[in-house]
Amino acid sequence: MKKVLIAPSLMSADFASLKDTFDELKKAGCDYVHLDVMDGAFVPNITFGQMVVRNVARFATLPLDAHLMIEEPGRYVADFALPGVRIICVHVEACRHLDRVVQQIAEAGKVPGVALNPATPVSSIEWVLDRVGFVLVMSVNPGFGGQEFIGYSVGKIEAVRRMLDARGLKDVILGVDGGVNERVAPQVVNAGADFLVTGSYLFNVRGGPAEAVKRIRRAIGKTRAGGRT
Ligand code: DX5
Ligand code: ZN
């Protein structure tokens, strides 16, 4: 049974104390830190770019996954292929030539990831599935933290898991991103997700990240004991 990885979205963190936040997240038992890069064009919001990621990567005590919500991300792969960044994830909808961008990420020595907006069919990644190491199912419309989980994402996660299983791609990480909390976590893990991005829940629950991780792991443990193998 694969370990479910928990990846706090830095977008919901206090940017005035990022270094302490990393220590807190590591102590809390998080596995990755999720970097939401937004350009205000692909999504209606702007967060931070490669300059911030370069600085964060210098003190990151957890591996980083860069979620590039930017138009034509192929132009910036080299900028985000930094030490400490393990996964570079691009949106299917933002790449005119997705296969080329996936190859660029692999050639940069990073794990290529592809992200799907809620309404984007899973068929859009079927021809690159063998070239990626990470699939991210968006369970909110990208651009903001604190949104409600979109219920039909569960069926979509199951569909991607079936595609991966059918190809024997058991090492590909299947992530879900948006509105994940202790109630949603067991549903999406049961559907086949093994990488949970969580922002507003993890940083706002009383007791902070340590409490949030504990609750999520407890909720998953329970469902795995009785649910999906
Ligand atoms: C949304 C981002 C998500 C978001 C997660 O566009 O990609 O990573 O920050 O935050 P919550 O968990 O609050 O939905
Ligand atoms: Zn994200």
Side-chain angles (χ1 to χ4, degrees), residues 120-144:
T120 302
V122 297
S123 58
S124 61
I125 57 171
E126 66 179 295
W127 296 105
V128 292
L129 219 41
D130 298 81
R131 293 175 181 269
V132 302
F134 182 72
V135 176
L136 190 64
V137 173
M138 292 306 297
S139 39
V140 295
N141 291 294
F144 303 94

Side-chain angles (χ1 to χ4, degrees), residues 34 36 67 69 177:
H34 182 81
D36 283 313
H67 178 193
M69 288 163 276
D177 184 8

